[in-house]
Amino acid sequence: MFAAVAPVIERAIAERIFPGAVVLIARSNAILHRAAYGSTMYTDAGSRAVLPNTIYDIASLTKVFTATAALILADAGALNLAMPVTHYLPAVRAQAVTLRHLLTHTSGLDLRLSVLRERGAAGLRAAAYATQPVHTPGSVVAYTNINSLLLGDVIAMVFAAPLDVAIQELICAPLELAATQFNPPAALRAQIAPTEHDHDWRGGLVHGSVHDESAHALGGSAGHAGLFSTANDLARFMQLWLGGGAWGGRQILREATVAEALRDHTAHLATPAGYVLHSGLGWMLDRPNVMGAAPRGSFGHTGFTGPVMIGIPTADLILVLLSNRVYPQRTPPPYTHHNVTAAVLGAIVASWTV
């Protein structure tokens, strides 16, 4: 049924879109297909064959874990999504921005965090807290890292522990996501796919530490980036969402919260460039550039380093595709990794009645 997947991935490797990848397809609680392709660094010294349990820097997929932690706390009454961010973080100057604005990327905040990497954790965070919206909150949708950074800081404040501890206790421990973590120990380095040669700032190969510059400056743990994970762990995380928030006999998220998070909150809004960007609470919805032929109502998220996870509720189907497409450098080839994901999903949908 999934024979058409391998040629898509093998072509991408041949065209140097990424050196290797893991593809996992699941339905309900069953893995239907799991395969590893290629290597971690092409034929470069130190390269290893990709395995099904190879650990990848999942970049902005971290944002959905942050959003999920916030929703769990909201279900528990510890957070109110309608409250201004300043209620939880008084040092933030954007008075009209709410937690819901952060979750839907409608805050109007626009700050490129990576250019602040030289300021260190305190300076970067101070700049983020001082930023004022460039658009009226709720008036446009614009995907920016600062939203998830602030949301992560809110979670840490409310949970009274660092964000990595909060995500571990709220999500990873209940779901038994053993490989999902910030700042993986050096002992796991051999299992981790490197990301990029960073000669300008870090002076070498980024391997086992977060690729995102601002998250690195923040100590490797931030609301917008920093998590490492495997295809198996991400499939289980997606199963929580396709399962109405239940896992292992426990309701981790209220079913109504899951429905609200997967509802389109931005269909009536345009981006600053004038096009519509469909967003749920932390989720990307109906994005044809990466989801291709997936039916309406599909949700997921992408990451800069190459990872993607997609859920198709009408088929109870999950796709996880992990790659390190930024190796050896981030310059994208003509046939992008989003095209690859859309092609893989198209092959799956073509062989499945959805």
Side-chain angles (χ1 to χ4, degrees):
M1 177 180 295
F2 304 114
V5 172
V8 175
I9 300 300
E10 289 163 0
R11 176 186 172 189
I13 293 171
E15 295 185 355
R16 296 183 70 88
I17 293 172
F18 44 66
V22 178
V23 176
L24 187 152
I25 303 162
R27 193 175 198 186
S28 298
N29 293 324
I31 294 176
L32 305 177
H33 175 82
R34 179 177 55 204
Y37 305 86
S39 63
T40 57
M41 296 187 291
Y42 297 107
T43 59
D44 296 346
S47 182
R48 299 170 181 264
V50 174
L51 302 174
N53 65 345
T54 294
I55 299 169
Y56 283 86
D57 178 337
I58 63 169
S60 285
L61 270 58
T62 302
K63 292 180 172 72
V64 190
F65 280 79
T66 301
T68 300
L71 294 172
I72 291 172
L73 291 174
D75 279 353
L79 284 180
N80 182 341
L81 303 187
M83 291 295 289
V85 177
T86 55
H87 176 78
Y88 303 99
L89 301 174
V92 170
R93 294 183 59 192
Q95 299 289 326
V97 173
T98 68
L99 300 189
R100 190 175 296 273
H101 290 141
L102 299 181
L103 284 161
T104 56
H105 290 284
T106 58
S107 68
L109 298 171
D110 184 12
L111 177 68
R112 186 172 176 81
L113 298 180
S114 61
V115 302
L116 304 174
R117 64 190 188 185
E118 304 289 355
R119 300 191 185 187
L124 192 154
R125 187 165 270 115
Y129 282 24
T131 299
Q132 292 281 13
V134 297
H135 303 283
T136 302
S139 66
V140 300
V141 54
Y143 177 82
T144 56
N145 284 339
I146 188 174
N147 295 315
S148 298
L149 168 63
L150 293 177
L151 187 63
D153 285 4
V154 170
I155 291 166
M157 192 283 298
V158 170
F159 198 73
L163 179 64
D164 58 343
V165 174
I167 287 180
Q168 169 62 27
E169 295 188 15
L170 292 171
I171 302 171
C172 297
L175 295 181
E176 299 180 50
L177 308 184
T180 304
Q181 58 195 296
F182 293 96
N183 293 314
L188 291 178
R189 184 182 174 94
Q191 300 176 47
I192 300 172
T195 48
E196 184 177 26
H197 287 282
D198 180 3
H199 302 297
D200 295 333
W201 190 43
R202 282 180 265 190
L205 180 64
V206 180
H207 186 188
S209 61
V210 61
H211 176 265
D212 181 272
E213 295 94 341
S214 57
H216 180 76
L218 290 165
S221 174
H224 62 288
L227 278 175
F228 289 72
S229 192
T230 61
N232 272 26
D233 273 14
L234 293 177
R236 182 171 292 189
F237 176 76
M238 292 296 287
Q239 285 164 349
L240 169 72
W241 281 90
L242 283 179
W247 178 263
R250 176 184 171 190
Q251 198 70 37
I252 295 174
L253 278 167
R254 292 172 55 241
E255 192 168 358
T257 299
V258 170
E260 178 68 5
L262 299 182
R263 177 177 69 83
D264 193 342
H265 290 257
T266 61
H268 62 294
L269 300 177
T271 67
Y275 58 89
V276 174
L277 201 61
H278 301 286
S279 299
L281 299 180
W283 288 104
M284 298 176 175
L285 308 178
D286 299 321
R287 303 289 176 89
N289 66 317
V290 66
M291 298 180 186
R296 190 168 180 81
S298 298
F299 65 97
H301 214 284
T302 62
F304 185 79
T305 53
V308 62
M309 54 185 179
I310 296 171
I312 305 177
T314 56
D316 193 24
L317 203 64
I318 294 163
L319 168 65
V320 176
L321 197 163
L322 298 182
S323 75
N324 53 336
R325 70 99 190 172
V326 293
Y327 186 85
Q329 301 292 156
R330 68 186 67 186
T331 304
Y335 183 51
T336 70
H337 62 299
H338 285 172
N339 296 144
V340 176
T341 302
V344 168
L345 202 54
I348 296 169
V349 172
S351 64
W352 205 276
T353 303
V354 292

